[in-house]
Amino acid sequence: MTNMTVLAGGVGGARFTRGLLAHLRAVDPDSSVTVIANTGDDLWLTGLRVCPDLDSIMYTLGGANDDERGWGRMGESERVSAELTAYGVGWPWFTLGDLDLGTHIARSSWLRDGLPLSEATARLAARWNLGATLLPATDDEVETIVTVAGDESADIAIEDMHFEEWWVRLRASRPALAFTQRNASVARPAPGVLEAIATADVVLFAPSNPVVSIGTILGIPGIADAVRATSAPVIGVSPIIGGAVLRGMADACLSAIGVETSAVAVARHYGARRDGGLIDGWLVDEVDAEAASALHADGIRSSARPLWFSSVEETAAIAGDALSLANVPHSGR
Ligand code: FO1
């Protein structure tokens, strides 16, 4: 039996994990997968705790995600959201669908009863038959705050805002100067997180945002150390193809932390475990094959193949190639 632990953000992390599960069903059906999800995008809105990345993973693995839009439930309606907007409650540009609201109400009701997020997540997930264990990185409220550049000519000052406001309302149109994970320094990993990393046979970094998804998970005290210390190989899949992002806004986030938007720069940002960094292997797209050879010298095993998630089958093959970088027995290669 092989234990896999995946560090994941929302849409990319969810799709990668779905492919990994499809691959494992075919080649290693007894394996187990634990997903450690980013909680930095979470927020209280309209009195409810909304956890975008946990929900994207839950809906995707549960077969209920709106894959066209990327987030939320398929077959969604927005009647309640329209009512809330009419009352001037919430963010009119951040739509909570009617079915999705059921998830937020259930979660918030358990949280108000005093349950930790990890327990509320387990109760939500139990309905969906995910085929994986879904863990929030932390039970504590660690929200990503973006320091957004001002614009003197338009008399707009530098300001701090929740990540969702920068991403969804502004569509990252104003440059981010910094990302702060509020409360991160005193947060603790959720129950099961450190164990899942320590006891894994392979740890995988999904092709999620290195700053506001994987970076936020690794910023919870203890998690990066657990990744450095695990006896399992740690393999990442590049979220960058040919100098551009697969999806989302990783380029705007990387520039704020001074990292170039390239497959090789992101791998070096994580660093080789051999030298105290976080990864042993890095799967890149075929257009970045040169990056793969450059990384070998840095102590990062790397191989190149097409990384577009065009179908579940293709994503399963990508996950299989990530596992071959780890030399996992039964990886089907
Ligand atoms: N993304 C949008 O672009 N517009 C929305 O109105 C929106 C609402 C929303 C509600 C619940 C939820 O779980 C996710 C939602 N998202 C929405 C997606 C989300 O903002 C981001 O794509 C992720 O947080 C980034 O990974």
Side-chain angles (χ1 to χ4, degrees), residues 5-9 35-36 197 203-206 208 214 217-218 223 227:
T5 296
V6 184
L7 273 55
V35 185
I36 299 172
I197 296 169
V203 175
L204 293 159
F205 288 7
S208 300
I214 306 291
I217 299 172
L218 294 168
I223 297 188
V227 172

Side-chain angles (χ1 to χ4, degrees), residues 270-301:
Y270 288 134
R273 285 212 307 161
R274 168 190 95 170
D275 300 324
L278 295 160
I279 56 171
D280 301 297
W282 190 239
L283 189 64
V284 300
D285 188 84
E286 58 189 349
V287 300
D288 294 310
E290 266 180 33
S293 39
L295 289 172
H296 280 287
D298 293 7
I300 298 173
R301 297 196 284 280

